[in-house]
Amino acid sequence: MSDYLETTHDVYKEAALTPDVGLCCTTNPIWELPGLKIPKIMQEMNYGCGSTVHARDLTNNPKTLYVGVGGGMELLQFAYFNRQKGGVVGVDVVDEMLEASRKNFIEAEAQNSWFKSDFVDLKKGDAMNLPVEDNSIDVAAQNCLFNIFKADDLKKAIAEMYRVLKPHGRLVMSDPTCEQPMNDTLRNDERLRALCLSGSLPIADYVKALTDAGFGTIEIRARKPYRILDPKNYPTDELIYIESIEVAAIKDPMPADGPCIFTGKAAIYYGDEDYFDDKSGHVLLKNQPLAICDKTAGILKALNRDDIYFSESTYHYDGGGCC
């Protein structure tokens, strides 16, 4: 194990033994679903920067994998949608975090009559060598983990997620991102990397790592303020703004003309006809917004029509569209 991963292991071992409410800072509210109660200890150990639990991903009792278990909160949320023995697999390299989750599940059983601890299969394992069979998972997830990895390790971790997913399965993630350059002192600070700060990548680099692994469809579902690195408290001469994003990478075949990346763009046709059909699979009804991937936006813009409006990327995509 490399030095920075050893530091990360120690940080989360400590966080498992002594819950640290301020370790990460998610602006997401806790899920309020009928019959679902989240124990307080799980909320205190919610070491993520967003949410990976989306109801539209979790229909028909999907086999779900969650890497980096935290205090078990998202494992419990995933189990809510599955409710089968071993229907959710949780993997973590930190023994103390696995043990903390086991204890927290006992509390979850006491508060949720529907929940049984054996709905979740906890396994010790490494994100770069998952103890999971090929093509066996419908939905895989990680929250505030991949941003910690350096480039070669990130490539391995994404490849492992791709390997275990079934065709058309989806990898759902939440990670900090940063569009500003960071100096080498920040990048090489092992503790700041473990704390999900100095490993943050620009969104374009993050998405490229996913498409390089073979994911044919990428959905950016949310983009939110996360943290500030300021010169008074960190080794930087300028203020650095970090955001968190929620992304789904879908194991669709890679299109011949490149991946479909949805960043929240839409097209609106306002011409004289009832609709516009570009004869390439994109039909725009009059004055009805249609979600489009960035690639399709480029193709339609190249037509140079004066009756189609294109919105900018909102970095909030919630399904539907042309692709």
Side-chain angles (χ1 to χ4, degrees), residues 102-169:
R102 290 189 182 95
K103 291 179 179 177
N104 293 347
F105 288 150
I106 295 173
E107 180 64 26
E109 283 187 340
Q111 295 187 29
N112 295 274
S113 60
W114 58 268
F115 178 68
K116 294 180 174 57
S117 291
D118 66 6
F119 289 173
V120 181
D121 183 10
L122 290 173
K123 296 183 177 183
K124 183 172 182 177
D126 191 319
M128 289 164 275
N129 187 21
L130 293 170
V132 181
E133 294 180 359
D134 295 358
N135 304 309
S136 62
I137 299 295
D138 296 296
V139 178
Q142 64 83 22
N143 194 334
C144 220
L145 172 64
F146 280 6
N147 74 98
I148 294 173
F149 294 140
K150 294 184 178 180
D152 288 346
D153 291 338
L154 176 61
K155 182 177 180 180
K156 293 174 186 175
I158 294 174
E160 275 294 272
M161 290 291 210
Y162 188 90
R163 174 184 66 81
V164 303
L165 281 169
K166 298 176 182 177
H168 307 293

Side-chain angles (χ1 to χ4, degrees), residues 69-96:
V69 300
M73 187 181 82
E74 287 186 276
L75 290 167
L76 175 64
Q77 292 171 328
F78 283 124
Y80 178 90
F81 292 92
N82 186 284
R83 306 193 186 194
Q84 298 180 33
K85 183 177 180 180
V88 178
V89 179
V91 174
D92 205 299
V93 73
V94 181
D95 290 320
E96 291 80 3

Side-chain angles (χ1 to χ4, degrees), residues 56-57 158 162 165 167-173 206-221 247-263 292-296 317 319-323:
R56 70 182 177 91
D57 298 328
I158 294 174
Y162 188 90
L165 281 169
H168 307 293
R170 54 193 60 200
L171 168 58
V172 187
M173 298 159 288
Y206 187 94
V207 169
K208 186 176 186 301
L210 296 167
T211 57
D212 283 351
F215 288 99
T217 302
I218 308 294
E219 302 177 352
I220 298 182
R221 295 176 169 181
V247 177
I250 303 172
K251 193 176 177 178
D252 290 337
M254 182 64 69
D257 57 353
C260 292
I261 301 170
F262 289 87
T263 62
I292 53 175
C293 72
D294 291 7
K295 179 176 60 179
T296 297
Y317 173 77
C322 66
C323 300

Side-chain angles (χ1 to χ4, degrees), residues 6-17:
E6 289 180 2
T7 299
T8 300
H9 182 282
D10 292 343
V11 165
Y12 288 95
K13 175 181 176 180
E14 180 180 339
L17 296 173

Side-chain angles (χ1 to χ4, degrees), residues 11 43 49 67 88 98 126 152 159 226 248 274 289-290 296 311 320:
V11 165
Q43 297 180 41
C49 60
V67 181
V88 178
L98 291 167
D126 191 319
D152 288 346
Y226 181 61
D274 290 336
L290 180 71
T296 297
S311 72

